[in-house]
Every structure is written in structure tokens, then in C-alpha cells.
Amino acid sequence: TDPWESHKSGIMNTLVPEPEIPSHQGPDAQSVDPELDVVTAAVKVPETLSHLHYWTVQLTKEASKEEVLEAFGTSSRTAFIRMDDELSANNAVKELMLDIGRPHGDMYEVAIWEDMLKVEGDELYYAYLVDNQAIVIPETIDAIRALTGLESNPEKSIDKTNRSLGIKQRFI
């Protein structure tokens, strides 16, 4: 659940599936990319640190794990984390954000487990964490710059925001 609503339907010692498929995440993504062919399902869990997403993707062609990681790496707001760096759960990642000095333990990046990612022919399997609140901060800053005319070049705005927030592609 999200932090601002966890008191309304708090759950303890259980998992509760969302009653509708798709969950809101798929239609939300399709509002940005209408051609995205995705069906999502969600489960409420008794925590508010982040969202954990698992994806199974049918690629348009066979690819290697390295090619997929390189493609994900083209986004400056995707960070790679590793299970073998003791980042095997969202609470460990949250603690790392606090340890590296992020305000409130905020993680502005989408954190993908690179050592969990698997490719078999044209099938891709991966998992990632999204901070419930902080993930929207960089895009909001860039949107304000664009709307106010402070920066018309998206790449320059992204770079400026990334530097000011300390956004990185590797934490360790």
C-alpha cells in the first residue's frame, strides 16, 4: 500500500490480491504509451517503503542479458542493484539510501536487480523497486523547468536535476 493510505485498510501478517485485473499500473503506463501491450496484477503487502514489480516481457527478437542491461542503462534514472551486494530486499535498499545521505532515504532511481535479470531467447524476466514517493521528484523538477521556460533542452534539465539530487546508476 502507499504510505498516505496505509491506515485506511492496513493489513498485517497477510497478502491481499487486488480484486481487479488489470491493476491500475498497466492502464497508467498505457496513458503514456498507448501501444504498450501489458496486463498488470497487484498484491497489497504490509509495508510502505517501495513498490516491487516483477515483469515477464516478450522481446521482439532474441537478446542477451548484456544487451538488455545496456538498454536499461541508457536511462540515467535506472540504477542497478545486486543481491550479492546484500541488497536483497527493499528495506536493505532503503537503508542504503539513508547511508549515502539521501533525504528521508529517498530513491529517485528505478532500481533493477541486475543479477536477478534473466533472458531466455526472446523472453525477459526481471524485478525492480520503485520508491513510493521519491520516484516522481526528478520528473516533477524537469516538468517545472520546461513549463516555466527555465530550460527548454530536456537533456540539459535531466543532467542538472540528476547532479543536484545525486542520481546515479550504481550505489555501490
Side-chain angles (χ1 to χ4, degrees), residues 6-35:
S6 61
H7 66 287
K8 293 180 182 175
S9 60
I11 55 176
M12 183 63 70
N13 200 28
T14 192
L15 306 175
V16 180
E18 285 285 332
E20 299 285 326
I21 295 177
S23 60
H24 74 87
Q25 292 89 354
D28 287 355
Q30 289 167 326
S31 73
V32 176
D33 182 356
E35 295 185 26

Side-chain angles (χ1 to χ4, degrees), residues 106 116 148:
D106 287 346
M116 183 193 298
T148 60

Side-chain angles (χ1 to χ4, degrees), residues 33-170:
D33 182 356
E35 295 185 26
L36 183 63
D37 184 12
V38 64
V39 176
T40 55
V43 177
K44 293 179 184 178
V45 299
E47 70 88 27
T48 62
L49 296 178
S50 60
H51 290 293
L52 172 61
H53 296 264
Y54 275 85
W55 282 71
T56 301
V57 177
Q58 176 85 47
L59 302 172
T60 57
K61 63 177 186 165
E62 289 194 9
S64 68
K65 178 176 181 173
E66 293 73 26
E67 289 173 309
V68 171
L69 289 170
E70 185 178 319
F72 279 136
T74 63
S75 169
S76 64
R77 293 184 178 156
T78 298
F80 296 108
I81 57 176
R82 299 185 56 80
M83 292 269 184
D84 58 14
D85 285 335
E86 298 186 22
L87 298 174
S88 58
N90 63 344
N91 63 313
V93 175
K94 184 73 164 184
E95 287 297 317
L96 177 62
M97 295 303 102
L98 289 164
D99 289 348
I100 66 173
R102 293 280 179 87
H104 314 287
D106 287 346
M107 183 174 68
Y108 309 114
E109 303 85 350
V110 172
I112 298 175
W113 275 285
E114 70 177 320
D115 50 351
M116 183 193 298
L117 184 141
K118 184 173 183 138
V119 180
E120 291 182 348
D122 65 351
E123 293 283 330
L124 165 63
Y125 309 91
Y126 67 102
Y128 63 90
L129 285 178
V130 177
D131 188 301
N132 287 18
Q133 298 174 1
I135 195 70
V136 299
I137 293 171
E139 285 75 18
T140 302
I141 292 169
D142 293 334
I144 291 168
R145 278 199 199 102
L147 289 169
T148 60
L150 290 172
E151 181 57 71
S152 59
N153 182 311
E155 290 81 20
K156 285 183 182 179
S157 182
I158 289 168
D159 184 57
K160 189 183 295 185
T161 302
N162 288 357
R163 282 185 285 114
S164 69
L165 293 175
I167 291 175
K168 48 183 80 183
Q169 288 194 297
R170 294 215 177 265

